[in-house]
Short mmCIF file of all heavy atoms in Angstrom, two decimals:
data_model
loop_
_atom_site.label_atom_id
_atom_site.label_comp_id
_atom_site.label_asym_id
_atom_site.label_seq_id
_atom_site.Cartn_x
_atom_site.Cartn_y
_atom_site.Cartn_z
N TRP A 119 68.48 77.93 95.49
CA TRP A 119 68.15 77.24 96.74
C TRP A 119 67.85 78.26 97.84
O TRP A 119 67.66 77.90 98.99
CB TRP A 119 69.34 76.35 97.11
CG TRP A 119 69.08 75.29 98.12
CD1 TRP A 119 68.06 74.37 98.12
CD2 TRP A 119 69.86 75.03 99.29
NE1 TRP A 119 68.18 73.55 99.22
CE2 TRP A 119 69.27 73.93 99.96
CE3 TRP A 119 71.01 75.60 99.83
CZ2 TRP A 119 69.80 73.41 101.13
CZ3 TRP A 119 71.53 75.08 100.99
CH2 TRP A 119 70.92 73.99 101.64
N GLY A 120 67.83 79.54 97.45
CA GLY A 120 67.48 80.59 98.40
C GLY A 120 68.64 81.19 99.15
O GLY A 120 68.43 81.88 100.16
N ILE A 121 69.87 80.96 98.69
CA ILE A 121 71.05 81.55 99.34
C ILE A 121 71.42 82.83 98.59
O ILE A 121 71.55 82.83 97.36
CB ILE A 121 72.22 80.56 99.37
CG1 ILE A 121 71.88 79.39 100.29
CG2 ILE A 121 73.50 81.24 99.84
CD1 ILE A 121 72.94 78.32 100.36
N GLU A 122 71.60 83.91 99.33
CA GLU A 122 71.93 85.20 98.74
C GLU A 122 73.41 85.51 98.95
O GLU A 122 74.06 84.93 99.83
CB GLU A 122 71.07 86.30 99.37
CG GLU A 122 69.57 86.07 99.16
CD GLU A 122 68.74 87.14 99.84
OE1 GLU A 122 69.00 87.43 101.04
OE2 GLU A 122 67.85 87.69 99.17
N HIS A 123 73.94 86.44 98.17
CA HIS A 123 75.34 86.81 98.33
C HIS A 123 75.52 88.29 98.01
O HIS A 123 74.71 88.89 97.28
CB HIS A 123 76.24 85.97 97.41
CG HIS A 123 76.16 86.35 95.96
ND1 HIS A 123 75.11 85.96 95.15
CD2 HIS A 123 76.97 87.12 95.18
CE1 HIS A 123 75.29 86.42 93.93
NE2 HIS A 123 76.39 87.14 93.93
N THR A 124 76.59 88.85 98.57
CA THR A 124 76.97 90.23 98.31
C THR A 124 78.47 90.27 98.06
O THR A 124 79.24 89.84 98.92
CB THR A 124 76.64 91.14 99.51
OG1 THR A 124 75.24 91.07 99.79
CG2 THR A 124 77.04 92.58 99.23
N PRO A 125 78.91 90.77 96.90
CA PRO A 125 80.35 90.98 96.70
C PRO A 125 80.84 92.14 97.56
O PRO A 125 80.12 93.12 97.75
CB PRO A 125 80.47 91.31 95.20
CG PRO A 125 79.16 90.92 94.60
CD PRO A 125 78.14 91.08 95.68
N ALA A 126 82.05 92.03 98.07
CA ALA A 126 82.60 93.10 98.92
C ALA A 126 84.11 93.12 98.79
O ALA A 126 84.75 92.09 98.55
CB ALA A 126 82.20 92.89 100.37
N ASP A 127 84.67 94.30 98.98
CA ASP A 127 86.12 94.48 99.03
C ASP A 127 86.59 94.05 100.42
O ASP A 127 86.33 94.73 101.41
CB ASP A 127 86.48 95.93 98.76
CG ASP A 127 87.98 96.19 98.77
OD1 ASP A 127 88.75 95.26 99.10
OD2 ASP A 127 88.39 97.32 98.45
N LEU A 128 87.28 92.92 100.48
CA LEU A 128 87.68 92.40 101.79
C LEU A 128 88.76 93.23 102.45
O LEU A 128 89.04 93.05 103.64
CB LEU A 128 88.14 90.95 101.64
CG LEU A 128 87.11 89.95 101.08
CD1 LEU A 128 87.66 88.54 101.16
CD2 LEU A 128 85.78 90.06 101.82
N ASN A 129 89.40 94.12 101.70
CA ASN A 129 90.44 94.95 102.30
C ASN A 129 89.90 96.27 102.84
O ASN A 129 90.65 97.07 103.39
CB ASN A 129 91.55 95.22 101.28
CG ASN A 129 92.43 94.01 101.09
OD1 ASN A 129 92.85 93.40 102.06
ND2 ASN A 129 92.70 93.65 99.85
N ASP A 130 88.62 96.50 102.66
CA ASP A 130 87.98 97.70 103.20
C ASP A 130 87.10 97.24 104.37
O ASP A 130 85.99 96.74 104.16
CB ASP A 130 87.16 98.38 102.11
CG ASP A 130 86.53 99.69 102.58
OD1 ASP A 130 86.32 99.86 103.79
OD2 ASP A 130 86.23 100.53 101.71
N ALA A 131 87.60 97.39 105.58
CA ALA A 131 86.90 96.86 106.75
C ALA A 131 85.50 97.45 106.88
O ALA A 131 84.55 96.74 107.25
CB ALA A 131 87.70 97.12 108.01
N ASP A 132 85.34 98.75 106.58
CA ASP A 132 84.02 99.37 106.68
C ASP A 132 83.06 98.79 105.65
O ASP A 132 81.90 98.49 105.96
CB ASP A 132 84.14 100.88 106.50
CG ASP A 132 84.86 101.56 107.66
OD1 ASP A 132 84.85 100.98 108.77
OD2 ASP A 132 85.43 102.65 107.46
N ALA A 133 83.54 98.62 104.41
CA ALA A 133 82.70 98.04 103.36
C ALA A 133 82.36 96.59 103.68
O ALA A 133 81.24 96.13 103.42
CB ALA A 133 83.40 98.14 102.00
N LEU A 134 83.32 95.89 104.24
CA LEU A 134 83.08 94.49 104.60
C LEU A 134 82.01 94.39 105.67
O LEU A 134 81.07 93.59 105.57
CB LEU A 134 84.39 93.85 105.06
CG LEU A 134 84.33 92.41 105.55
CD1 LEU A 134 83.75 91.50 104.47
CD2 LEU A 134 85.72 91.94 105.96
N ARG A 135 82.13 95.20 106.70
CA ARG A 135 81.13 95.18 107.78
C ARG A 135 79.75 95.61 107.25
O ARG A 135 78.73 95.07 107.68
CB ARG A 135 81.57 96.08 108.92
CG ARG A 135 82.74 95.50 109.73
CD ARG A 135 83.00 96.30 110.99
NE ARG A 135 84.00 95.64 111.84
CZ ARG A 135 85.30 95.90 111.79
NH1 ARG A 135 85.76 96.82 110.95
NH2 ARG A 135 86.14 95.24 112.57
N ALA A 136 79.74 96.55 106.30
CA ALA A 136 78.48 97.01 105.74
C ALA A 136 77.80 95.92 104.92
O ALA A 136 76.56 95.92 104.80
CB ALA A 136 78.71 98.25 104.88
N ALA A 137 78.58 95.01 104.36
CA ALA A 137 78.02 93.94 103.54
C ALA A 137 77.41 92.82 104.38
O ALA A 137 76.61 92.02 103.88
CB ALA A 137 79.10 93.36 102.62
N VAL A 138 77.79 92.75 105.64
CA VAL A 138 77.30 91.69 106.52
C VAL A 138 75.85 91.95 106.91
O VAL A 138 75.45 93.08 107.19
CB VAL A 138 78.19 91.58 107.78
CG1 VAL A 138 77.60 90.63 108.80
CG2 VAL A 138 79.59 91.14 107.39
N ARG A 139 75.06 90.88 106.92
CA ARG A 139 73.65 90.95 107.33
C ARG A 139 73.42 90.05 108.54
O ARG A 139 74.27 89.20 108.85
CB ARG A 139 72.74 90.49 106.19
CG ARG A 139 72.90 91.21 104.88
CD ARG A 139 71.99 90.57 103.83
NE ARG A 139 72.20 91.14 102.50
CZ ARG A 139 71.60 90.67 101.41
NH1 ARG A 139 70.75 89.65 101.50
NH2 ARG A 139 71.84 91.22 100.23
N PRO A 140 72.27 90.16 109.17
CA PRO A 140 71.97 89.22 110.27
C PRO A 140 71.93 87.77 109.80
O PRO A 140 72.14 86.86 110.62
CB PRO A 140 70.58 89.68 110.74
CG PRO A 140 70.52 91.13 110.39
CD PRO A 140 71.29 91.26 109.10
N THR A 141 71.68 87.56 108.51
CA THR A 141 71.60 86.21 107.97
C THR A 141 72.93 85.72 107.39
O THR A 141 72.98 84.61 106.84
CB THR A 141 70.53 86.14 106.87
OG1 THR A 141 70.81 87.14 105.87
CG2 THR A 141 69.15 86.36 107.45
N THR A 142 73.99 86.52 107.52
CA THR A 142 75.28 86.11 106.96
C THR A 142 75.82 84.91 107.72
O THR A 142 75.95 84.95 108.94
CB THR A 142 76.30 87.27 107.02
OG1 THR A 142 75.80 88.37 106.25
CG2 THR A 142 77.65 86.83 106.45
N ARG A 143 76.13 83.87 106.99
CA ARG A 143 76.68 82.66 107.60
C ARG A 143 78.15 82.44 107.23
O ARG A 143 78.86 81.75 107.95
CB ARG A 143 75.87 81.43 107.15
CG ARG A 143 74.42 81.45 107.60
CD ARG A 143 74.30 81.30 109.10
NE ARG A 143 72.92 81.45 109.55
CZ ARG A 143 72.40 82.58 109.99
NH1 ARG A 143 73.16 83.69 110.06
NH2 ARG A 143 71.14 82.65 110.38
N VAL A 144 78.58 83.04 106.11
CA VAL A 144 79.94 82.80 105.62
C VAL A 144 80.50 84.08 105.03
O VAL A 144 79.79 84.80 104.30
CB VAL A 144 79.94 81.70 104.52
CG1 VAL A 144 81.29 81.65 103.80
CG2 VAL A 144 79.60 80.34 105.12
N ILE A 145 81.73 84.38 105.34
CA ILE A 145 82.53 85.31 104.54
C ILE A 145 83.52 84.46 103.77
O ILE A 145 84.29 83.70 104.37
CB ILE A 145 83.25 86.37 105.40
CG1 ILE A 145 82.23 87.27 106.09
CG2 ILE A 145 84.20 87.20 104.54
CD1 ILE A 145 82.85 88.35 106.96
N TRP A 146 83.46 84.59 102.45
CA TRP A 146 84.28 83.74 101.56
C TRP A 146 85.46 84.58 101.07
O TRP A 146 85.28 85.61 100.45
CB TRP A 146 83.45 83.26 100.38
CG TRP A 146 84.15 82.20 99.59
CD1 TRP A 146 85.12 82.38 98.65
CD2 TRP A 146 83.95 80.78 99.70
NE1 TRP A 146 85.55 81.17 98.16
CE2 TRP A 146 84.83 80.18 98.79
CE3 TRP A 146 83.10 79.99 100.46
CZ2 TRP A 146 84.90 78.80 98.62
CZ3 TRP A 146 83.16 78.62 100.30
CH2 TRP A 146 84.05 78.04 99.39
N CYS A 147 86.64 84.09 101.33
CA CYS A 147 87.86 84.85 101.07
C CYS A 147 88.84 84.01 100.26
O CYS A 147 89.10 82.86 100.59
CB CYS A 147 88.49 85.24 102.41
SG CYS A 147 90.15 85.93 102.32
N GLU A 148 89.37 84.59 99.19
CA GLU A 148 90.53 84.03 98.52
C GLU A 148 91.70 84.98 98.77
O GLU A 148 91.54 86.19 98.71
CB GLU A 148 90.32 83.94 97.00
CG GLU A 148 89.28 82.96 96.55
CD GLU A 148 89.11 82.99 95.03
OE1 GLU A 148 90.05 83.40 94.33
OE2 GLU A 148 88.03 82.60 94.57
N THR A 149 92.85 84.44 99.06
CA THR A 149 94.03 85.27 99.19
C THR A 149 95.28 84.41 98.99
O THR A 149 95.46 83.44 99.73
CB THR A 149 94.07 86.03 100.54
OG1 THR A 149 95.22 86.88 100.57
CG2 THR A 149 94.07 85.10 101.75
N PRO A 150 96.09 84.68 97.97
CA PRO A 150 95.86 85.63 96.88
C PRO A 150 94.66 85.23 96.03
O PRO A 150 94.32 84.05 95.94
CB PRO A 150 97.16 85.56 96.06
CG PRO A 150 98.19 84.98 96.97
CD PRO A 150 97.43 84.05 97.87
N THR A 151 94.05 86.24 95.39
CA THR A 151 92.85 85.99 94.62
C THR A 151 93.18 85.55 93.19
O THR A 151 94.27 85.78 92.68
CB THR A 151 91.95 87.22 94.57
OG1 THR A 151 92.66 88.29 93.91
CG2 THR A 151 91.54 87.66 95.96
N ASN A 152 92.18 84.93 92.60
CA ASN A 152 92.27 84.44 91.23
C ASN A 152 91.29 85.25 90.37
O ASN A 152 90.08 85.16 90.59
CB ASN A 152 91.88 82.96 91.22
CG ASN A 152 91.93 82.32 89.87
OD1 ASN A 152 92.41 82.92 88.91
ND2 ASN A 152 91.43 81.10 89.77
N PRO A 153 91.78 86.07 89.41
CA PRO A 153 93.14 86.12 88.87
C PRO A 153 93.89 87.42 89.18
O PRO A 153 94.98 87.64 88.64
CB PRO A 153 92.87 86.07 87.37
CG PRO A 153 91.63 86.92 87.21
CD PRO A 153 90.81 86.69 88.48
N LEU A 154 93.34 88.31 90.01
CA LEU A 154 93.94 89.64 90.16
C LEU A 154 95.00 89.70 91.24
O LEU A 154 95.58 90.77 91.47
CB LEU A 154 92.84 90.67 90.44
CG LEU A 154 91.81 90.83 89.30
CD1 LEU A 154 90.75 91.86 89.68
CD2 LEU A 154 92.50 91.22 87.99
N LEU A 155 95.26 88.60 91.93
CA LEU A 155 96.33 88.51 92.93
C LEU A 155 96.19 89.54 94.03
O LEU A 155 97.18 90.06 94.57
CB LEU A 155 97.71 88.63 92.27
CG LEU A 155 98.30 87.39 91.58
CD1 LEU A 155 98.49 86.25 92.54
CD2 LEU A 155 97.48 86.96 90.39
N ASN A 156 94.94 89.84 94.40
CA ASN A 156 94.72 90.69 95.57
C ASN A 156 94.96 89.90 96.85
O ASN A 156 94.86 88.67 96.87
CB ASN A 156 93.30 91.26 95.56
CG ASN A 156 93.11 92.31 94.50
OD1 ASN A 156 93.98 93.16 94.28
ND2 ASN A 156 91.96 92.29 93.82
N ILE A 157 95.26 90.62 97.91
CA ILE A 157 95.57 90.02 99.20
C ILE A 157 94.57 90.51 100.23
O ILE A 157 94.31 91.71 100.34
CB ILE A 157 97.00 90.39 99.66
CG1 ILE A 157 98.03 89.91 98.64
CG2 ILE A 157 97.29 89.80 101.04
CD1 ILE A 157 98.13 88.40 98.49
N ALA A 158 94.01 89.58 100.99
CA ALA A 158 93.12 89.93 102.10
C ALA A 158 93.82 89.66 103.42
O ALA A 158 94.60 88.71 103.55
CB ALA A 158 91.82 89.12 102.02
N ASP A 159 93.54 90.49 104.40
CA ASP A 159 94.08 90.31 105.75
C ASP A 159 93.22 89.26 106.44
O ASP A 159 92.07 89.52 106.83
CB ASP A 159 94.03 91.64 106.49
CG ASP A 159 94.70 91.59 107.85
OD1 ASP A 159 94.64 90.53 108.51
OD2 ASP A 159 95.26 92.61 108.27
N ILE A 160 93.75 88.05 106.58
CA ILE A 160 92.95 86.94 107.11
C ILE A 160 92.53 87.20 108.55
O ILE A 160 91.36 86.98 108.92
CB ILE A 160 93.75 85.62 107.00
CG1 ILE A 160 93.97 85.27 105.53
CG2 ILE A 160 93.01 84.49 107.72
CD1 ILE A 160 94.90 84.08 105.31
N ALA A 161 93.42 87.69 109.38
CA ALA A 161 93.09 87.93 110.78
C ALA A 161 91.98 88.96 110.92
O ALA A 161 91.04 88.80 111.71
CB ALA A 161 94.33 88.36 111.55
N LEU A 162 92.07 90.05 110.14
CA LEU A 162 91.04 91.09 110.19
C LEU A 162 89.70 90.56 109.69
O LEU A 162 88.65 90.82 110.29
CB LEU A 162 91.47 92.29 109.35
CG LEU A 162 90.44 93.41 109.20
CD1 LEU A 162 90.10 94.01 110.55
CD2 LEU A 162 90.96 94.47 108.23
N THR A 163 89.74 89.82 108.58
CA THR A 163 88.49 89.28 108.03
C THR A 163 87.86 88.28 108.99
O THR A 163 86.64 88.21 109.13
CB THR A 163 88.76 88.62 106.66
OG1 THR A 163 89.52 89.53 105.85
CG2 THR A 163 87.47 88.30 105.94
N ALA A 164 88.68 87.50 109.67
CA ALA A 164 88.17 86.57 110.67
C ALA A 164 87.49 87.31 111.81
O ALA A 164 86.43 86.88 112.31
CB ALA A 164 89.31 85.71 111.21
N GLU A 165 88.05 88.42 112.22
CA GLU A 165 87.45 89.22 113.30
C GLU A 165 86.07 89.71 112.89
O GLU A 165 85.10 89.63 113.67
CB GLU A 165 88.37 90.40 113.63
CG GLU A 165 87.84 91.31 114.72
CD GLU A 165 88.76 92.49 114.98
OE1 GLU A 165 89.98 92.36 114.73
OE2 GLU A 165 88.25 93.54 115.42
N VAL A 166 85.95 90.21 111.65
CA VAL A 166 84.65 90.70 111.17
C VAL A 166 83.66 89.54 111.10
O VAL A 166 82.50 89.67 111.53
CB VAL A 166 84.80 91.37 109.79
CG1 VAL A 166 83.44 91.73 109.21
CG2 VAL A 166 85.68 92.61 109.89
N ALA A 167 84.09 88.40 110.57
CA ALA A 167 83.20 87.25 110.46
C ALA A 167 82.71 86.80 111.83
O ALA A 167 81.51 86.58 112.04
CB ALA A 167 83.92 86.10 109.75
N HIS A 168 83.60 86.68 112.78
CA HIS A 168 83.23 86.16 114.08
C HIS A 168 82.38 87.14 114.88
O HIS A 168 81.49 86.73 115.63
CB HIS A 168 84.49 85.76 114.85
CG HIS A 168 85.26 84.67 114.18
ND1 HIS A 168 86.61 84.46 114.39
CD2 HIS A 168 84.87 83.73 113.27
CE1 HIS A 168 87.01 83.43 113.65
NE2 HIS A 168 85.97 82.98 112.96
N ASP A 169 82.61 88.44 114.67
CA ASP A 169 81.75 89.44 115.31
C ASP A 169 80.31 89.30 114.82
O ASP A 169 79.36 89.61 115.54
CB ASP A 169 82.25 90.86 115.00
CG ASP A 169 83.49 91.22 115.81
OD1 ASP A 169 83.83 90.48 116.76
OD2 ASP A 169 84.14 92.23 115.47
N ALA A 170 80.15 88.83 113.56
CA ALA A 170 78.82 88.67 112.98
C ALA A 170 78.25 87.27 113.20
O ALA A 170 77.16 86.96 112.72
CB ALA A 170 78.89 88.95 111.48
N GLY A 171 78.99 86.41 113.91
CA GLY A 171 78.53 85.04 114.11
C GLY A 171 78.64 84.19 112.86
O GLY A 171 77.93 83.18 112.73
N ALA A 172 79.52 84.58 111.95
CA ALA A 172 79.69 83.87 110.68
C ALA A 172 81.03 83.13 110.67
O ALA A 172 81.90 83.35 111.53
CB ALA A 172 79.64 84.85 109.51
N LEU A 173 81.19 82.25 109.70
CA LEU A 173 82.43 81.53 109.50
C LEU A 173 83.28 82.25 108.46
O LEU A 173 82.75 82.79 107.48
CB LEU A 173 82.17 80.11 108.99
CG LEU A 173 81.37 79.17 109.90
CD1 LEU A 173 81.12 77.86 109.16
CD2 LEU A 173 82.11 78.92 111.20
N LEU A 174 84.59 82.24 108.67
CA LEU A 174 85.51 82.69 107.62
C LEU A 174 86.04 81.47 106.89
O LEU A 174 86.67 80.60 107.50
CB LEU A 174 86.67 83.50 108.20
CG LEU A 174 87.75 83.86 107.16
CD1 LEU A 174 87.17 84.70 106.04
CD2 LEU A 174 88.94 84.54 107.81
N VAL A 175 85.78 81.42 105.59
CA VAL A 175 86.29 80.36 104.73
C VAL A 175 87.37 80.98 103.85
O VAL A 175 87.14 82.00 103.20
CB VAL A 175 85.17 79.77 103.86
CG1 VAL A 175 85.74 78.71 102.92
CG2 VAL A 175 84.07 79.20 104.73
N VAL A 176 88.54 80.37 103.81
CA VAL A 176 89.64 80.87 103.00
C VAL A 176 90.01 79.84 101.94
O VAL A 176 90.34 78.69 102.27
CB VAL A 176 90.88 81.21 103.86
CG1 VAL A 176 92.05 81.64 102.97
CG2 VAL A 176 90.55 82.31 104.85
N ASP A 177 89.92 80.24 100.70
CA ASP A 177 90.42 79.43 99.59
C ASP A 177 91.92 79.65 99.52
O ASP A 177 92.39 80.73 99.16
CB ASP A 177 89.73 79.84 98.29
CG ASP A 177 90.13 78.95 97.11
OD1 ASP A 177 91.24 78.38 97.14
OD2 ASP A 177 89.34 78.85 96.15
N ASN A 178 92.68 78.63 99.88
CA ASN A 178 94.14 78.73 100.00
C ASN A 178 94.85 78.09 98.80
O ASN A 178 96.03 77.77 98.89
CB ASN A 178 94.58 78.04 101.30
CG ASN A 178 95.93 78.51 101.79
OD1 ASN A 178 96.35 79.63 101.55
ND2 ASN A 178 96.64 77.63 102.49
N THR A 179 94.13 77.93 97.70
CA THR A 179 94.68 77.20 96.55
C THR A 179 95.92 77.87 95.99
O THR A 179 96.91 77.20 95.69
CB THR A 179 93.60 77.07 95.46
OG1 THR A 179 92.51 76.30 95.97
CG2 THR A 179 94.16 76.38 94.23
N PHE A 180 95.89 79.19 95.81
CA PHE A 180 97.02 79.89 95.18
C PHE A 180 98.27 79.84 96.06
O PHE A 180 99.38 79.71 95.55
CB PHE A 180 96.65 81.35 94.90
CG PHE A 180 96.16 81.60 93.50
CD1 PHE A 180 95.44 80.64 92.81
CD2 PHE A 180 96.39 82.81 92.88
CE1 PHE A 180 94.98 80.88 91.52
CE2 PHE A 180 95.94 83.06 91.59
CZ PHE A 180 95.23 82.09 90.91
N ALA A 181 98.10 79.97 97.35
CA ALA A 181 99.27 80.01 98.24
C ALA A 181 99.79 78.61 98.54
O ALA A 181 100.99 78.40 98.63
CB ALA A 181 98.92 80.73 99.54
N SER A 182 98.88 77.67 98.75
CA SER A 182 99.17 76.33 99.24
C SER A 182 99.54 76.42 100.72
O SER A 182 99.98 77.48 101.20
CB SER A 182 100.29 75.63 98.47
OG SER A 182 101.56 75.94 98.99
N PRO A 183 99.39 75.33 101.47
CA PRO A 183 99.76 75.37 102.89
C PRO A 183 101.25 75.56 103.12
O PRO A 183 101.66 75.86 104.25
CB PRO A 183 99.26 74.02 103.43
CG PRO A 183 99.15 73.15 102.23
CD PRO A 183 98.78 74.04 101.10
N TYR A 184 102.05 75.39 102.09
CA TYR A 184 103.49 75.64 102.25
C TYR A 184 103.76 77.11 102.53
O TYR A 184 104.69 77.44 103.28
CB TYR A 184 104.23 75.20 100.99
CG TYR A 184 105.73 75.36 101.07
CD1 TYR A 184 106.48 74.60 101.97
CD2 TYR A 184 106.40 76.25 100.24
CE1 TYR A 184 107.86 74.74 102.05
CE2 TYR A 184 107.79 76.39 100.30
CZ TYR A 184 108.51 75.64 101.21
OH TYR A 184 109.88 75.77 101.28
N LEU A 185 102.96 78.00 101.94
CA LEU A 185 103.20 79.44 102.08
C LEU A 185 102.28 80.11 103.08
O LEU A 185 102.56 81.22 103.53
CB LEU A 185 103.04 80.14 100.72
CG LEU A 185 103.95 79.64 99.59
CD1 LEU A 185 103.69 80.45 98.33
CD2 LEU A 185 105.42 79.73 99.99
N GLN A 186 101.16 79.46 103.43
CA GLN A 186 100.17 80.13 104.26
C GLN A 186 99.27 79.10 104.93
O GLN A 186 98.79 78.17 104.27
CB GLN A 186 99.34 81.04 103.35
CG GLN A 186 98.25 81.84 103.99
CD GLN A 186 97.62 82.80 102.99
OE1 GLN A 186 98.00 83.96 102.91
NE2 GLN A 186 96.67 82.32 102.20
N GLN A 187 99.02 79.28 106.22
CA GLN A 187 98.10 78.41 106.96
C GLN A 187 97.00 79.28 107.59
O GLN A 187 97.15 79.78 108.70
CB GLN A 187 98.82 77.61 108.04
CG GLN A 187 99.84 76.60 107.51
CD GLN A 187 101.23 77.19 107.42
OE1 GLN A 187 101.68 77.88 108.33
NE2 GLN A 187 101.92 76.94 106.33
N PRO A 188 95.89 79.49 106.86
CA PRO A 188 94.86 80.42 107.33
C PRO A 188 94.23 80.06 108.68
O PRO A 188 93.80 80.96 109.41
CB PRO A 188 93.82 80.36 106.21
CG PRO A 188 94.60 79.99 104.99
CD PRO A 188 95.62 79.02 105.49
N LEU A 189 94.16 78.77 109.02
CA LEU A 189 93.55 78.40 110.29
C LEU A 189 94.33 78.98 111.47
O LEU A 189 93.75 79.31 112.51
CB LEU A 189 93.46 76.89 110.43
CG LEU A 189 92.61 76.15 109.38
CD1 LEU A 189 92.59 74.65 109.68
CD2 LEU A 189 91.20 76.70 109.31
N THR A 190 95.63 79.13 111.33
CA THR A 190 96.45 79.69 112.40
C THR A 190 96.24 81.19 112.54
O THR A 190 96.67 81.79 113.53
CB THR A 190 97.94 79.40 112.18
OG1 THR A 190 98.40 80.12 111.03
CG2 THR A 190 98.18 77.90 111.96
#
Side-chain angles (χ1 to χ4, degrees):
W119 196 50
I121 293 178
E122 300 178 312
H123 74 282
T124 301
D127 181 354
L128 300 187
N129 284 314
D130 184 335
D132 291 336
L134 177 57
R135 288 189 172 93
V138 172
R139 304 176 186 175
T141 55
T142 299
R143 297 292 175 265
V144 168
I145 295 180
W146 191 280
C147 169
E148 293 178 23
T149 183
T151 62
N152 180 9
L154 298 179
L155 280 299
N156 288 319
I157 300 295
D159 186 326
I160 295 173
L162 174 62
T163 311
E165 179 182 333
V166 174
H168 298 157
D169 285 348
L173 298 176
L174 174 61
V175 178
V176 176
D177 185 334
N178 201 29
T179 298
F180 264 33
S182 87
Y184 183 65
L185 302 181
Q186 180 174 265
Q187 295 92 44
L189 299 181
T190 68

